[in-house]
């Protein structure tokens, strides 16, 4: 959390950091989607760890350090570490992260295949995506009203 706050403070003044918003949206989307994975992965605190995976997925870019160095300093579930270091080999969380990032980059064929492999239907994905982006946008709106 301290790393994320530090990364967010690197942004100019009160201007929202778009990478922070994207990371927050990824985390929320993964949190919402993880309950739809079939079969459910045997990961403790699945929704929390899905959120952390998405949220931390841009941390290396945000603070300009290799992901492997960052993860050495953080006590995280093995499944989260594996997903962040190598999404394609990172089990269910890595596959979910790969699906979300494929969709973000416009690679819809890869995203569709990844979601299909996870057993998540397109309607569920669309609803989670809209809810996640709305949620991430509200973070800065509410924060700026508190100032």
């Amino acid at each position: 959390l301290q790393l994320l706050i530090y990364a967010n403070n690197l942004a100019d003044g009160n201007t929202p950091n778009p990478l922070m918003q994207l990371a927050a949206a990824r985390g929320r989307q993964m949190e919402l989607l993880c309950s739809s994975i079939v079969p459910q992965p045997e990961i403790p605190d699945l929704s929390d760890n899905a959120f952390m995976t998405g949220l931390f997925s841009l941390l290396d870019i945000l603070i300009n350090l290799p992901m492997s160095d960052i993860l050495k300093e953080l006590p995280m579930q093995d499944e989260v570490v594996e997903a962040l270091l190598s999404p394609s080999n990172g089990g269910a969380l890595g596959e979910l992260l790969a699906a979300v990032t494929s969709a973000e980059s416009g690679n819809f064929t890869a995203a569709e295949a990844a979601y299909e492999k996870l057993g998540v239907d397109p309607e569920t994905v669309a609803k989670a995506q809209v809810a996640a982006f709305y949620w991430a946008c509200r973070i800065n709106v509410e924060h700026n009203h508190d100032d």
Side-chain angles (χ1 to χ4, degrees), residues 9-21:
N9 287 338
L10 294 177
D12 297 330
N14 281 338
T15 308
N17 184 329
L19 282 178
M20 282 295 296
Q21 283 190 300

Side-chain angles (χ1 to χ4, degrees), residues 18-56:
L19 282 178
M20 282 295 296
Q21 283 190 300
L22 181 58
R26 270 187 195 175
R28 181 70 175 139
Q29 188 176 353
M30 289 183 65
E31 178 184 26
L32 293 170
L33 288 171
C34 69
S35 63
S36 299
I37 297 173
V38 180
Q40 276 287 283
E42 303 258 335
I43 298 171
D45 303 315
L46 178 61
S47 63
D48 290 344
N49 282 309
F51 180 78
M52 294 300 287
T53 301
L55 188 64
F56 279 28

